[in-house]
Every structure is written in structure tokens, then in C-alpha cells.
Amino acid sequence: MKRISKMDGVLLLNEIRFTLHEERPPLHEERKVLIMIQSIWELFNKEELFECYQCARCTGSCPAAMVMDSYGPRETLLRCLNLGQEAVITDERVWYCTTCHVCEDRCPQEINISELLTAIFNLAAQRGNLPEKIKFAVDMIAKTGRGLIVNEKVMKDRQKLSLPPLDPLNLDELEGIFKKTGLHEVIDLS
Amino acid sequence: MTPKKLPRKEKEEPRIGVYVCHCGLNIGGVVDCARVAEFASGLPGVVLSKHNLYTCSEPGQELIKNDIREHRLNRVVVASCTPRLHEPTFRAACEEAGLNPYLFEMANIREHCSWVHLHDKEEATEKAKDLVRMAVARAARLTPQEVLEVPVIRKALVIGGGVAGIQAALDLADSGYRVYLVEKEPSIGGRMAQIDKTFPTMDCSICILAPKMSEVGRHPNIELLTLSEIEAVDGYVGNFSVRVRKKARYVNASCTACGDCAKVCPQVAPDEFNAGLSMRRAIYMAFAQAVPSTYQIDMNLCLNKHGIVACDKCYQACQRQCIDYSQKDEILNLEVGTIIVATGVDVYDPTPLTEFGYRKFPNVITSLEFERLINAGGPSGGNLIRPSDQRIPKTVAFLQCIGSRSKRSNIYCSNICCMNTIKDALLIKEHWPETKILVFYIDIRAFGKGFEDLFQRARREGVTFIRGVPGEIIEDPVTRNLTLIGEDTLLSQLYRYEVDMAILSVGIEPRRDSPVIQRLLNLSCASDGFFLEAHPKLRPVDTPTSGIFLAGCAEGPKDIKDSVTQASAAASRANILMAQGKVKVEAITAVVDETLCTGCGMCVKVCPYSAIRQDPETGIAQVTQASCAGCGTCVAECPFSAISQRHFTDQQILAQIDAVTEEAPEKKIVAFCCNWCSYAGADFAGVSRMQYPTPIRIIRTMCSGRVSTEFIEYAFRRGAGAVLVSGCHIGDCHYINANKQTEKRVQRLWRKMERLGLDKNRLQLAWISAAEGNLFARKVKELEEILRGVTPEEIEKTKQALVPKKKGKGEPVEA
């Protein structure tokens, strides 16, 4: 399978942006009061982490750790606890997590590791510590409703496979979801 | 020494002495003891009130004794710790000073006050005052009681024939008592017989156990009952009657274990003793060193079922004609004075941990299976072979903490697996020094005598210890080699190790059928499922039921040495009872007032011990004192107040309710707690320093079955904000099933409150075990929420609505 290069995406995105800007105001204008998260402990019960005894079954099970050396939920958890949240949210490595929940499934202490990572993502994003690639993907979804780029080539491939063409999505609904989940409060989607 | 007969003065004015204990800073650090003592001096009947640092100390006890003599005290109240701890101490002190021990009363201001209200000193002091007021009110109404002595049968029953049961049985038999050793398996020996070597000395396990096993077999004082199970237990300390089912063996005692029968048997099944790694026949002997050394037929497997003989190959082969297909189960009724529970453990089954592939990958085995593989008497003749291709593995991995220290399996540390793995690793090194051994661990716990030495030896001999348990095991489908993927936490690096064989170092857990024993013997279980001891430090082998003792892993995971130690301790505790030949039974039994009894028979119906019978002519109830266990259910049930429980009379309990509700009753929760579970649970909350709100005032009864609807209604009539009735969980009742009556009674009252338009939420029923301190604390918090919602109007309404329509407590509840 041929990978879509980043440049393709950016070009396409600019195109979409250009067309969208005329019709709809940017999301942040509709924002209500921005709830700033001060600490990840507002989102996650710190006491739960004290139960971790660093058995490393989480990292041992982590598909992200298998491909990206130097990353692992065990270490993230320990750094969070001992070095404080700043050490974690400024670290780009946390974004390797795909929230597949395997770590959580196998954790002997039943710590909600995925929830912790989600809290870290939220705080990091709010502080602007969002890697470009992630920001790009979020923007894509916000603007097109899809995480993958739909261009001419994709359309042709679909035709070959006799799949129906992809229609533009209803973005109002998506925007509603973003608002309800508070995504636009965490990430500036302008 | 016989107890002195005391002159009984019926109308004696109470002269109460109150002693408020600081317990160092345990109480004194929170409760203002001086203020409590001063408050107590103003209570009716109190002639003397003191506070001291340690009342339980020798000078503290001397002080009480002197005061009894000097000030002619006829009641003593000590406000200190839980009566479950020091009541016997102070009772003995009173008795020495010539005061009947039943004229002593305790107020629990430590476990139920200072330790659970650490941060609210003012409220804690107020609560302590209330608790003392309650104790004084009850003390004023106490009467002297004569203690009944019952004989102790000089025979013992040991349940379980593992190393603990064997040791306990031998100790008792050597002391001269008759011992029945009941084992459900065909042979004694237990887990120790399955193990190859023992740590830390690397002794051969069966070599040191077998002599003990045969000693049991030939000891004149031991009656060995294998293939036997306990079916019913009745009675009380010193006088238990036990029904045992001795299952048919189908082979009689003249068997010489020649083995001719097994050679011809056509039926095969996995061998339990070899952890399923080899096969056995339908007629088989458990293992070579089995005691009794007799074959038996597994009738589930044998072709001859229901008396129809379809195959008689073994019968034909047996020269001594020992085989009898028509043998029946035998029922034995044993009379014993003491019981030792040594039921042992099961091994954790790692199948649910799918990431390790146990049962899916043949080369992933458990540590017990490993023991059978490395054992010379095992299926491979002591050759460590991998199950997939019977090759000797070059690389072996051990995975620690499988089924231990985890909320997904058992939360406790299994105690033995670390050392067992180190021993196993050294065993492999001993036989095949070239083998590469990897041990994946979280923590190595080498805490015992000689353990650290063994750990160091393993490291010196080249066993690799890697900190970090693998996340998963994957198998190469062709070579059947295993790849372990995980993280070395000390290097913060991911690893992939390819090994020939992986051994899951599995934990141990309570026997799957231990709830049966628990129910039969009325034992309590901790939250982990192991049997609960009477006191974790000072009575570690006693159970809350007197006359029953614990030995070995039934009480918690432990190694062979600790099991043997505990077994000897249990035997010695049982010995104390049997050597004396008699035991004092608490004077808390029920007594009938024949002038009030109408012979309705209600008490007979509710008595869990069948201790009450009706006179065939007059119908008047009669209580057999020796059978009465003192739960008080009959007392609560009697519609005519014709039965009372000694030391827990209606007057005494009502006086306690009066004392609670004397000041600001709407801010109080009156709680009735049973002595064995919920009171102990509240104590546990105290010991664990679980903080909960202050309004609760606990009244202790022996059983929740003692709590009559009248007590609850009386509390509401006095304006109490809320009432809690609590006892053991259904099925766990210390008095067989007396708490079923509690449940019925509370439900009856709920219906009545509903009918009268009252808020039935204010009456709560909770089942709290002795191990559930957190549950108790949570319940109190819940009650406080309810209390906050109760309006003065509601209280007034309840007061009016619950006024009895006629005199006496026999008001008809169901209209």
C-alpha cells in the first residue's frame, strides 16, 4: 500500500480550508468559557497510581513500545508520579500511545492506564504540546470529517474496487460532537 | 481452684468504679480522658472515677483490685479498648478481688472512638462520654452469674492430612489423645508429597515426609480416615459430634499394593498426583509412598457402575481377592473435644491469563507441573523435558507473581513462589549446569532464615534475574519455542527472549471447597478467602469458635516450616483444653421464667441449636444449658418476655438505649452490632484507622438475632435519629442461622413503618464481616447522610406512631 505523503495532505487541507472559510466562522468564535485544566489530577485519581508496583507488564504488552523504543506506559506512569506532570506533558513520546487498552487489560492492579494517558493528552494539547502530525490529523477530521485524505487517487481506487464514492460529510453534526466532548476547548481548531 | 461462692444480694445498691484509660496516646491523644472521668463521676451509681495511663498494666489492675476492696465497689467499668481484647484480663482482676466477673463492663473508646475520629477531638470526647454513660447504665443492671463448666472429650479431630495435619495429629497422639485424621484424598501427604525438594536446605521432600506419613499410619492413637469427608458438625467446645462419610474404596485393607490389578485395568485417566502429566488406571494407588498403602477404584472411571459388573479383570488378577465392587460408603459419627482445621491450599490456575498461553502452548507449564517433572518419581523419571518434544530444554524462563499480588487474581503475596523458583533454578543448574535460566520478577522476597543465602547462591551460579514480567508469550508454531516480550525496568529497555520452556510460578489460593468447611464449622473468612484467626497477633491459631484451631495454609499462604510450626502450636492449644478436661462456658445462656411462659413454642422454632424443648405436659419451654450457645434469638422472639438471656437482659440493653438518647437523641445513630462479625468489623475499622462520622453509638449483643423489634422501636420512641442493625453475612452467622430471624424481624418492622407512613430509611440493616472494616465505615457515612435528612417533625411523628398499644412487648406487628 502506498502511503500518502504529508505534503499531499497539507496541500489538500489548505484547499479545504480555503473553501470552508467562506461559509463558516472558525470554531473558536463560538467557544464558551474555556475551562483550563490546571493539573492532570483533576482528570485522574492520583491515588490509583500509588498501587503501581512497576511490574512492566504494560510496557511488555505495548504495541507502540515494540516499534518505538524508549517509550512505555510503565515509565510514563512513574515519571508522572515522581517527576510531576510537566515532565510528561512536554514529552512528545506519550503521543505514540494508540489507546489500544492492552496495558489496561493486562495490568495486575487494574489501573486505568488509558484514562491516565487520555488525561495527559488533554493537558498537553491544551498547553499547546501537540505534535504537528497529531494536530494535522485532528484538523483533518474537523475540516473533512475524515481521518484519511480523500483525493482523486482514493476515489479512483474505490471505483476500481467497485465501492461507492465518498460523499462530503455533514460537519454540523461533527461540530456538535466536538462541542459536547469539549475538543475545541482543548485544541485550537482555527 | 474453685470459684468462691458470692453472697447474692438482690437489692444491692450499685457502687460503680469507672476507670478511663489513656492507652498512652492511643486514646489520650484524641479524647480528653480527664474530662470523661470527671463526667463519669456525676453519673448515677458511680462512687469513684479515675483516669490512668495504662489500665491493663499490672499497677492499673492492682488499682482496680484495691479500690474494689477499699471502696466496696460492686461494679467496675473500664473505658479503654475493645472488650474482645481485654475483657478477660479485667474480669480476672475483678475475680481476684472477690467480685463476680460478670459485674464488670467495658466501654470501647479506642477502636470505636479515638482511632476512628482522630481529627475531631471535641466530638470524640463527647462520644467517649456517651459510651461511658452507656457502660455505666448497663453496669448498674448487671447481676452476678455462675459459670457453667462442661467436660471436654479427650479426643481430637484433624481435618486435612497434609504436612500440617500430619504434624498436628502426631503431636496430639503422642500426648496420649485419640486422634481422628480425616483426609478427602486417597492418601495423606498433601502438597508436600508432590514437591521434589524443599527450600532453603534442598532436602528431598518425600524423604523427610514419608517417615512421618507411615508413623501416622501405624500410630496406635491415630485413626486414619482417607477418602473421607466431613458432612456435619454439631455441638460446642469440648463436645463436638461430627458426621464423616468414609467413601467406598472398593479395595479392602488386605491389599499388599502389588499392583497386579492396575496392569490389567483397561480404563485410563490423567493422574492427579502428577498434575495431569501422566496417566493412571481406574484402579490405582495415589503414589508410591501413599499411606495407607492400598489401591482404590475410581468409580467414575471404572466400567462397573451401579453394581453391574461389566469388567472383572482386576478382580481376576488380584491373588488375595481384595476387590469388592459392592462396597458402600460408610457413615461414622465421631465425638471429639477439639477440632484442628488443616485443609491446605489449591494452586492458582493461570488459564485466565491468556497472554501467557498456558494450556495453549505446550511448553508453558506451572511450577507444580515442574515439580513433578523434576521429581525422580514423576512421569519423566526426573528428567526435565519439554512437553512438546520431550527434549531437555537449553533455556528456561521462570515468570514470578502469576496469580498473586494482582486484582485480576489474588491480591495477596503467595509467600512461597520466590523461594520455590530460586530452588527450582538451582535444581536445574545442579542436573544440567549448561542450562540458561532467566527469572522474570517484580520483587524477590527472600525473607526467611537461610533464604537470602539461597538467593545469592542462585545468582553466583549464573541464574539471570530480570526485573520486569513479560507482557506476553508468543510461540513459534514450528519449533514450539517461546518468545517472551517485556521490559527490563532497570534498563528501561524492551527485551525479546527466545526460550525453550517457560514456567509460570503460580500462587496458592484457598481450597475451592473451603466454603463447605467454613459453613460446617462456622468459621470466618478474610476477604482473601483464607480462614480468619481469633487475633492476628496473639491468638494466631485459634478461630473465633472456641475448640477449633487452624494449622497450615488454611489460615494463609506459608511454607512447610511455618505450616509445621503452626500445626504444633494448634496441637498444643487443643492439648490445653483436653488436658484440663473441662471448660468454662460463658454465662450468657437463655433462662425461662416459667410463670410467664405460655408454651407457644416460638422459641423452639427459632433456636438454631435445638437447645429448647417443651415440657410434654405443660408445654413450658426448657433450655438445655450445655447446648445453648447464647445467641439470644429466642429471647427476642418470645412474645411474653418469658425468656431472658443472662448478661444480655432486656433491662440492660434498654438502659444502654436510654443512655444514648439522653442528650440530643436526634443526632445519634443507635447501632446494634453482633459480637463476632459486625462489632469485630467496627474494631477492624478502628485498628486500620478508617475515619468515619461520630454520631454512631454501638451496643454489643452476642448475635444480631438478640435484637428484638422492641429495642428498635424503643430507640425511635426515645427520638433516636437512625438505627442500624448489623450482623454476620447470611450463611456466615456464628450461631448457624440466627441472623435469618434478624432479617425477618427487620423486614417486618420496615413493613410496619411503611404502613404507618414513617421513613423506613432510618432503620438500616447491614451484614458486615469481621474483615470488612471499610464496609462498616462506609455504612456509617451512609447513615450520617440519612441522619442529616431527618426532620424534627419526622422524629416526633415516629415517637407518636410507635407508642405500644398494649403493655408488654407482645404487640401484634401484623394487624
Side-chain angles (χ1 to χ4, degrees):
Chain A
M1 202 172 77
K2 197 198 160 220
R3 283 206 176 171
I4 301 156
S5 81
K6 197 179 162 188
M7 270 320 278
D8 290 346
V10 171
L11 284 174
L12 187 84
L13 203 70
N14 282 340
E15 208 175 305
I16 298 162
R17 256 188 208 154
F18 182 71
T19 49
L20 289 181
H21 259 273
E22 288 168 26
E23 291 155 35
R24 55 180 66 230
L27 280 169
H28 64 88
E29 282 186 18
E30 290 175 14
R31 262 188 220 173
K32 285 173 239 154
V33 188
L34 190 79
I35 311 158
M36 280 298 283
I37 312 157
Q38 292 307 319
S39 150
I40 52 168
W41 308 128
E42 290 168 31
L43 303 168
F44 190 88
N45 180 14
K46 191 175 182 178
E47 277 174 29
E48 209 177 301
L49 293 191
F50 296 151
E51 294 185 351
C52 173
Y53 48 61
Q54 298 281 305
C55 70
R57 274 190 220 181
C58 46
T59 303
S61 314
C62 181
M66 260 174 235
V67 288
M68 296 307 302
D69 213 8
S70 85
Y71 166 74
R74 177 197 64 81
E75 203 186 322
T76 309
L77 196 151
L78 189 66
R79 288 161 73 91
C80 214
L81 210 52
N82 290 0
L83 302 178
Q85 60 182 24
E86 293 306 317
V88 183
I89 60 167
T90 52
D91 189 343
E92 262 200 17
R93 287 182 300 171
V94 293
W95 294 93
Y96 295 146
C97 169
T98 60
T99 56
C100 71
H101 288 240
V102 175
C103 49
E104 199 171 302
D105 266 10
R106 294 184 181 167
C107 176
Q109 294 292 69
E110 293 179 348
I111 298 169
N112 294 312
I113 307 170
S114 306
E115 249 173 56
L116 171 75
L117 282 156
T118 312
I120 294 171
F121 294 155
N122 278 321
L123 187 65
Q126 204 182 51
R127 299 277 168 88
N129 297 331
L130 198 61
E132 270 308 308
K133 284 174 196 164
I134 305 284
K135 185 143 176 20
F136 170 72
V138 175
D139 273 350
M140 273 285 292
I141 294 169
K143 298 298 179 319
T144 68
R146 295 201 165 87
L148 284 172
I149 294 159
V150 180
N151 55 14
E152 286 297 307
K153 190 179 176 304
V154 173
M155 289 298 195
K156 263 184 208 161
D157 285 349
R158 288 184 70 88
Q159 225 167 10
K160 259 186 234 163
L161 297 165
S162 58
L163 288 166
L166 289 170
D167 296 329
L169 293 167
N170 179 5
L171 293 176
D172 289 336
E173 205 181 329
L174 198 64
E175 206 184 309
I177 295 172
F178 284 172
K179 268 186 201 157
K180 211 157 199 176
T181 54
L183 180 77
H184 67 297
E185 287 171 6
V186 176
I187 298 173
D188 189 7
L189 286 172
S190 56
Chain B
M1 211 175 77
T2 47
K4 280 172 255 170
K5 278 251 172 183
L6 294 161
R8 285 197 191 189
K9 292 180 207 157
E10 287 302 325
K11 293 284 174 195
E12 184 186 45
E13 276 303 306
R15 292 178 61 80
I16 306 171
V18 178
Y19 300 85
V20 183
C21 180
H22 287 252
C23 194
L25 283 175
N26 284 314
I27 298 170
V30 179
V31 172
D32 187 340
C33 294
R35 240 169 75 200
V36 175
E38 196 196 319
F39 165 81
S41 65
L43 290 170
V46 176
V47 292
L48 175 140
S49 175
K50 291 177 177 174
H51 58 98
N52 49 9
L53 204 55
Y54 288 105
T55 314
C56 60
S57 66
E58 202 54 45
Q61 291 185 46
E62 280 305 315
L63 179 75
I64 297 176
K65 285 185 220 167
N66 282 338
D67 287 349
I68 292 173
R69 294 191 195 102
E70 214 171 288
H71 297 274
R72 293 181 294 110
L73 298 180
N74 56 18
R75 306 282 191 283
V76 172
V77 170
V78 172
S80 60
C81 48
T82 169
R84 292 167 55 84
L85 188 66
H86 272 315
E87 196 177 51
T89 317
F90 293 122
R91 275 186 174 178
C94 289
E95 202 169 3
E96 274 175 46
L99 191 66
N100 184 288
Y102 285 85
L103 296 174
F104 167 78
E105 177 61 20
M106 264 180 116
N108 184 349
I109 60 167
R110 193 177 75 174
E111 280 84 349
H112 291 184
C113 188
S114 69
W115 276 352
V116 288
H117 311 309
L118 287 171
H119 313 298
D120 196 346
K121 297 188 179 179
E122 192 50 42
E123 280 299 314
T125 306
E126 286 308 309
K127 181 173 175 178
K129 281 186 192 171
D130 257 10
L131 294 176
V132 170
R133 195 207 317 255
M134 286 158 68
V136 167
R138 178 173 149 82
R141 285 156 187 83
L142 291 176
T143 50
Q145 302 294 343
E146 293 303 328
V147 176
L148 189 74
E149 273 188 351
V150 292
V152 175
I153 300 170
R154 295 189 168 195
K155 291 178 191 169
L157 168 72
V158 178
I159 307 172
V163 65
I166 289 171
Q167 181 69 31
L170 284 174
D171 277 9
L172 286 171
D174 287 344
S175 315
Y177 303 108
R178 182 115 189 99
V179 181
Y180 300 101
L181 178 56
V182 174
E183 167 62 55
K184 74 173 177 184
E185 300 292 333
S187 166
I188 55 169
R191 293 287 171 210
M192 189 178 168
Q194 287 182 286
I195 298 168
D196 182 47
K197 297 283 186 313
T198 61
F199 60 79
T201 47
M202 311 291 275
D203 286 310
C204 163
S205 187
I206 195 72
C207 313
I208 55 177
L209 183 66
K212 273 187 174 294
M213 285 163 62
S214 44
E215 201 184 334
V216 168
R218 59 165 195 268
H219 203 295
N221 278 342
I222 298 178
E223 185 170 332
L224 180 57
L225 303 167
T226 48
L227 277 173
S228 303
E229 283 179 34
I230 309 287
E231 285 204 327
V233 180
D234 262 340
Y236 48 92
V237 52
N239 300 272
F240 294 105
S241 51
V242 184
R243 194 168 79 226
V244 178
R245 175 179 292 269
K246 190 167 191 261
K247 288 186 195 149
R249 212 181 174 98
Y250 306 104
V251 177
N252 65 35
S254 43
C255 171
T256 56
C258 65
D260 290 343
C261 51
K263 282 177 201 148
V264 294
C265 179
Q267 289 289 89
V268 288
D271 188 343
E272 296 87 356
F273 184 76
N274 279 336
L277 292 170
S278 67
M279 299 305 253
R280 62 161 172 83
R281 306 295 170 133
I283 186 161
Y284 71 109
M285 193 157 84
F287 52 98
Q289 299 86 347
V291 172
S293 182
T294 313
Y295 275 67
Q296 73 270 339
I297 298 177
D298 175 358
M299 260 306 156
N300 289 327
L301 194 62
C302 180
L303 297 166
N304 305 330
K305 284 192 178 65
H306 315 298
I308 302 159
V309 179
C311 158
D312 65 349
K313 285 190 174 168
C314 55
Y315 183 82
Q316 298 296 345
C318 182
Q319 286 175 3
R320 293 173 65 101
Q321 303 202 326
C322 307
I323 296 161
D324 175 7
Y325 300 123
S326 64
Q327 219 178 60
K328 295 268 177 310
D329 289 3
E330 253 180 278
I331 302 289
L332 303 169
N333 287 306
L334 312 175
E335 300 288 329
V336 295
T338 54
I339 299 176
I340 292 177
V341 181
T343 47
V345 278
D346 270 324
V347 178
Y348 176 74
D349 176 6
T351 318
L353 304 176
T354 48
E355 63 265 34
F356 298 129
Y358 178 67
R359 285 184 192 225
K360 199 163 76 184
F361 308 148
N363 292 333
V364 177
I365 62 168
T366 67
S367 40
L368 188 69
E369 288 164 354
F370 173 85
E371 291 293 340
R372 294 316 301 155
L373 277 182
I374 197 104
N375 189 296
S380 61
N383 281 314
L384 178 65
I385 49 171
R386 30 181 240 167
S388 72
D389 52 11
Q390 284 84 47
R391 269 197 308 111
I392 291 175
K394 297 267 181 304
T395 335
V396 177
F398 286 92
L399 276 67
Q400 293 307 108
C401 294
I402 304 297
S404 310
R405 302 179 69 198
S406 166
K407 289 181 186 168
R408 290 168 70 198
S409 49
N410 298 315
I411 53 161
Y412 50 84
C413 167
S414 289
N415 232 322
I416 50 149
C417 339
C418 285
M419 291 318 294
N420 194 57
T421 290
I422 291 168
K423 173 206 81 185
D424 288 347
L426 281 167
L427 270 181
I428 301 174
K429 282 274 173 200
E430 206 174 276
H431 294 299
W432 301 276
E434 297 308 310
T435 317
K436 188 169 164 52
I437 299 169
L438 306 162
V439 178
F440 298 94
Y441 71 98
I442 305 171
D443 299 294
I444 291 285
R445 296 184 168 172
F447 55 89
K449 186 177 174 181
F451 289 9
E452 183 64 25
D453 279 355
L454 201 70
F455 180 31
Q456 290 219 13
R457 208 178 109 198
R459 290 206 306 265
R460 271 202 308 271
E461 293 198 11
V463 177
T464 315
F465 288 85
I466 297 157
R467 201 194 171 284
V469 177
E472 63 183 292
I473 297 180
I474 47 179
E475 189 196 42
D476 183 324
V478 180
T479 61
R480 297 285 189 189
N481 284 351
L482 306 162
T483 304
L484 315 184
I485 306 167
E487 190 200 14
D488 186 328
T489 64
L490 300 179
L491 296 172
S492 277
Q493 245 176 29
L494 229 64
Y495 61 70
R496 292 174 84 97
Y497 286 107
E498 195 177 316
V499 299
D500 296 334
M501 191 174 185
I503 295 151
L504 305 179
S505 190
V506 286
I508 47 183
E509 56 189 17
R511 282 266 180 202
R512 265 145 230 148
D513 54 359
S514 75
V516 178
I517 294 291
Q518 185 213 345
R519 262 197 307 280
L520 287 174
L521 297 175
N522 274 319
L523 302 175
S524 323
C525 273
S527 53
D528 53 16
F530 290 103
F531 296 132
L532 202 64
E533 59 278 60
H535 190 280
K537 301 278 179 293
L538 301 176
R539 291 174 70 199
V541 299
D542 297 26
T543 65
T545 315
S546 53
I548 301 180
F549 305 94
L550 299 172
C553 289
E555 183 259 341
K558 51 178 72 67
D559 63 11
I560 294 165
K561 182 183 175 182
D562 286 357
S563 292
V564 171
T565 312
Q566 203 183 23
S568 284
S572 133
R573 297 287 294 165
N575 191 354
I576 293 170
L577 274 178
M578 293 192 289
Q580 285 185 337
K582 56 192 177 190
V583 67
K584 286 176 180 171
V585 176
E586 274 241 65
I588 52 167
T589 50
V591 281
V592 180
D593 184 341
E594 292 182 7
T595 57
L596 291 174
C597 179
T598 62
C600 70
M602 286 290 279
C603 49
V604 181
K605 275 187 210 141
V606 298
C607 179
Y609 294 90
S610 315
I612 311 177
R613 46 191 190 86
Q614 282 175 284
D615 189 290
E617 276 170 33
T618 55
I620 288 171
Q622 289 168 332
V623 180
T624 314
Q625 291 294 312
S627 312
C628 175
C631 63
T633 308
C634 54
V635 188
E637 210 63 29
C638 180
F640 306 99
S641 305
I643 309 187
S644 62
Q645 187 185 4
R646 297 200 284 160
H647 205 55
F648 288 93
T649 64
D650 282 357
Q651 292 78 11
Q652 288 161 1
I653 294 170
L654 291 175
Q656 281 175 287
I657 302 173
D658 271 335
V660 176
T661 51
E662 203 167 306
E663 279 171 30
E666 70 284 355
K667 288 184 190 141
K668 307 272 172 70
I669 302 162
V670 179
F672 298 96
C673 289
C674 83
N675 181 59
W676 306 102
C677 287
S678 46
Y679 194 92
D683 279 353
F684 188 63
V687 175
S688 317
R689 313 291 198 276
M690 292 166 185
Q691 303 297 301
Y692 58 74
T694 54
I696 190 145
R697 305 285 183 267
I698 296 173
I699 295 171
R700 179 169 72 130
T701 56
M702 291 315 282
C703 176
S704 60
R706 175 69 185 91
V707 183
S708 68
T709 46
E710 171 57 16
F711 292 161
I712 304 167
E713 289 186 23
Y714 185 74
F716 280 132
R717 276 208 298 281
R718 293 273 302 175
V723 175
L724 169 70
V725 179
S726 66
C728 314
H729 287 273
I730 296 287
D732 281 357
C733 181
H734 192 76
Y735 299 98
I736 304 175
N737 56 7
N739 58 357
K740 286 251 172 165
Q741 305 301 332
T742 319
E743 196 179 23
K744 277 188 199 162
R745 229 173 275 146
V746 170
Q747 278 166 354
R748 213 157 61 201
L749 200 52
W750 273 333
R751 284 201 295 274
K752 180 178 178 182
M753 290 174 83
E754 219 162 18
R755 208 169 49 240
L756 295 171
L758 306 172
D759 178 11
K760 71 170 194 175
N761 241 345
R762 287 170 61 202
L763 169 61
Q764 290 281 320
L765 177 67
W767 307 128
I768 296 161
S769 82
E772 292 173 328
N774 52 351
L775 187 63
F776 184 83
R778 207 158 64 225
K779 196 73 205 169
V780 178
K781 279 174 201 156
E782 222 172 273
L783 273 158
E784 202 217 11
E785 285 292 312
I786 294 169
L787 197 64
R788 264 192 239 141
V790 178
T791 58
E793 294 78 40
E794 178 67 36
I795 287 174
E796 203 48 45
K797 193 175 151 197
T798 316
K799 274 189 192 174
Q800 304 292 335
L802 289 177
V803 166
K805 290 175 195 93
K806 55 180 185 183
K807 225 185 156 199
K809 64 173 187 174
E811 50 187 302
V813 176
E814 297 288 0

